[in-house]
Amino acid sequence: MTQRILQRGLWTLVLATVPLSALAERRSTEIEALNEIEALLSCNMLADQAGATGRGAVENVDYFRWSCTYDVPPRREISVEVMPLLHEAQARPVCRSAASNRNGRWTGEWVGNGALAAGRCIISVPAN
């Protein structure tokens, strides 16, 4: 990453060139809540589930309706080979462990190839 610093009087401006893939995706959704605190709690829960870089922000749209926005870093999905998987109850802990070992999140998708062949977990990892 390259940086240029422009100074003029008391103001300093730092211009940075950042690759487009490093920018976060802004997501927005509407939620229903009785008040701003409840809306913010729900928004932060959604942001955490999506792997957001920070906390969510809410804005009142209408009575009991709020707009929730948060930034999610770019991600990509990969397929990871794991032990043989026969059913979802078996895949759940194996795939979650494989995802956490790669700093990712399990998407909930898996492929079982029988008792003797390796299974595959689909996980979402950071794009960089």
Side-chain angles (χ1 to χ4, degrees):
M1 184 165 91
T2 60
Q3 290 185 343
R4 289 187 300 165
I5 299 176
L6 301 176
Q7 278 190 308
R8 187 171 183 169
L10 297 175
W11 298 95
T12 302
L13 177 63
V14 177
L15 300 175
T17 56
V18 179
L20 200 55
S21 63
L23 299 175
E25 171 192 349
R26 176 147 297 210
R27 291 190 186 168
S28 181
T29 185
E30 284 194 5
I31 55 176
E32 291 183 4
L34 295 175
N35 55 40
E36 185 176 5
I37 294 172
E38 183 181 334
L40 194 55
L41 288 172
S42 297
C43 184
N44 287 333
M45 183 180 68
L46 288 173
D48 185 47
Q49 288 174 351
T53 55
R55 303 179 64 109
V58 294
E59 181 179 332
N60 189 267
V61 177
D62 200 2
Y63 292 107
F64 308 114
R65 289 182 50 205
W66 301 81
S67 173
C68 167
T69 57
Y70 49 90
D71 294 329
V72 178
R75 302 186 76 76
R76 62 188 171 97
E77 289 186 356
I78 62 172
S79 177
V80 179
E81 190 171 287
V82 294
M83 63 183 260
L85 300 173
L86 300 176
H87 46 81
E88 187 169 352
Q90 183 185 25
R92 191 175 299 121
V94 171
C95 292
R96 285 183 180 161
S97 175
S100 68
N101 290 342
R102 289 167 179 80
N103 194 23
R105 291 179 179 264
W106 179 44
T107 63
E109 298 176 37
W110 61 279
V111 177
N113 295 323
L116 301 176
R120 301 196 75 71
C121 299
I122 310 301
I123 62 173
S124 177
V125 295
N128 50 354

